[in-house]
């Protein structure tokens, strides 16, 4: 799939980035590809350190049935875009894109540690990343960026729609009994019911999905090792 030139434009100001998000939003497809079969699912994460200008990003691909890792890749890239809430994709996706180029096993779905459509302009990092890589994608965040939800049951698997400006933008999902929920929203080539189903499938024990837990460990290890340009097989 040929990338749209704008989807990989990083040399923008924050105000230009906002306008670019609005244009990219029109390209999102909020439904899974027909007959989507998920055998491999990846987590994407980024690690940075305050005061440092290098970011470490990576993917870990898991077998969706066993949740065992089957491939991983990492990269270190100089940060150029400032930290601006709502515009994190412009800071973080260049790092993730470098790791994606090194990934030898392509996943069927990617779960990003961040927002999908649960975003002020419905264009979180999971949306932008899904467009960039041409892959079905999901946002699974630990905190809310926008929206509110009603009462949520204590049992694992309980859900409550996340609404913002009168629109359902995601779902609060209880992945573990009595533990704070995660906030799930579709990215690209994905719908909300499928996103929730997949997040619960890869979160059998802990609050965070196994995809995020593995990717988080990888990028933190890269950062600690100061592994610029590192790739783990």
């Amino acid at each position: 799939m040929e990338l749209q030139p704008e989807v990989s434009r990083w040399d923008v100001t924050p105000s230009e980035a906002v306008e670019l998000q609005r244009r990219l939003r029109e390209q999102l497809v909020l439904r899974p590809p027909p007959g989507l079969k998920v055998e491999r699912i990846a987590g994407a994460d980024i690690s940075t350190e305050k005061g440092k200008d290098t970011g470490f990003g990576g993917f870990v691909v898991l077998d969706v049935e066993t949740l065992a890792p089957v491939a991983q890749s990492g990269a270190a890239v100089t940060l150029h875009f400032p930290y601006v809430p709502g515009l994190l994709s412009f800071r973080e996706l260049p790092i993730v894109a470098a790791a994606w180029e090194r990934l030898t096993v392509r996943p069927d779905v990617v779960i990003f540690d961040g927002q999908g459509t649960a975003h002020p302009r419905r264009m979180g990092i999971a949306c932008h990343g899904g467009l960039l890589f041409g892959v079905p994608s999901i946002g699974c965040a630990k905190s809310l960026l926008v929206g509110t939800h009603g009462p949520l049951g204590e049992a694992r698997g309980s859900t409550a729609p996340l609404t913002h400006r009168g629109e359902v933008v995601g779902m609060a999902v209880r992945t573990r009994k009595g533990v704070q929920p995660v906030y799930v929203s579709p990215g690209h080539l994905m719908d909300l019911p499928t996103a929730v189903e997949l997040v619960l499938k890869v979160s059998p024990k802990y609050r965070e999905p196994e995809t995020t837990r593995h990717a988080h460990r990888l990028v933190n290890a890269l950062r600690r090792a100061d592994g610029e340009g590192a790739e783990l097989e």
Side-chain angles (χ1 to χ4, degrees), residues 182-194:
V182 293
Y183 302 99
V184 177
S185 54
H188 177 52
L189 296 170
M190 183 57 56
D191 60 19
L192 186 53
T194 308

Side-chain angles (χ1 to χ4, degrees), residues 127-211:
C127 301
H128 200 157
L131 278 173
L132 179 64
F133 305 132
V135 65
S137 58
I138 297 167
C140 182
K142 296 182 286 293
S143 58
L144 284 173
L145 183 58
V146 298
T148 57
H149 64 84
L152 182 65
E154 288 295 309
R156 180 185 185 275
S158 297
T159 61
L162 185 63
T163 59
H164 180 239
R165 297 199 296 255
E167 180 183 359
V168 175
V169 296
M171 193 78 75
V173 180
R174 189 88 70 192
T175 50
R176 189 178 181 189
K177 181 181 177 181
V179 171
Q180 287 293 313
V182 293
Y183 302 99
V184 177
S185 54
H188 177 52
L189 296 170
M190 183 57 56
D191 60 19
L192 186 53
T194 308
V196 170
E197 177 187 345
L198 286 170
V199 166
L200 282 169
K201 187 174 180 67
V202 298
S203 308
K205 191 174 179 182
Y206 299 102
R207 180 190 181 205
E208 290 187 290
E210 288 301 302
T211 44

Side-chain angles (χ1 to χ4, degrees), residues 19-172:
E19 291 307 312
L20 183 52
Q21 283 184 333
R22 291 194 172 108
R23 293 196 297 275
L24 291 174
R25 169 67 185 85
E26 300 306 311
Q27 297 179 30
L28 287 183
V29 177
L30 296 179
R31 61 182 181 276
L36 174 66
K37 185 178 180 183
V38 182
E39 297 178 341
R40 296 181 298 272
I41 191 164
D45 200 10
I46 297 95
S47 181
T48 59
E49 193 170 349
K50 193 173 182 179
K52 301 286 183 70
D53 66 354
T54 300
F56 300 87
F59 287 92
V60 179
V61 182
L62 307 183
D63 178 285
V64 80
E65 296 301 332
T66 66
L67 300 182
V70 296
Q72 58 185 31
S73 65
V77 173
T78 301
L79 299 165
H80 293 291
F81 197 86
Y83 178 88
V84 181
L87 297 176
L88 292 188
S89 60
F90 293 90
R91 179 176 174 85
E92 298 182 348
L93 275 183
I95 314 166
V96 178
W100 179 261
E101 289 300 317
R102 298 173 172 186
L103 192 60
T104 55
V105 176
R106 287 290 186 244
D108 301 305
V109 172
V110 175
I111 298 179
F112 286 83
D113 183 24
Q115 311 292 346
T117 55
H119 178 277
R121 289 168 294 280
R122 314 296 185 251
M123 192 67 201
I125 190 169
C127 301
H128 200 157
L131 278 173
L132 179 64
F133 305 132
V135 65
S137 58
I138 297 167
C140 182
K142 296 182 286 293
S143 58
L144 284 173
L145 183 58
V146 298
T148 57
H149 64 84
L152 182 65
E154 288 295 309
R156 180 185 185 275
S158 297
T159 61
L162 185 63
T163 59
H164 180 239
R165 297 199 296 255
E167 180 183 359
V168 175
V169 296
M171 193 78 75

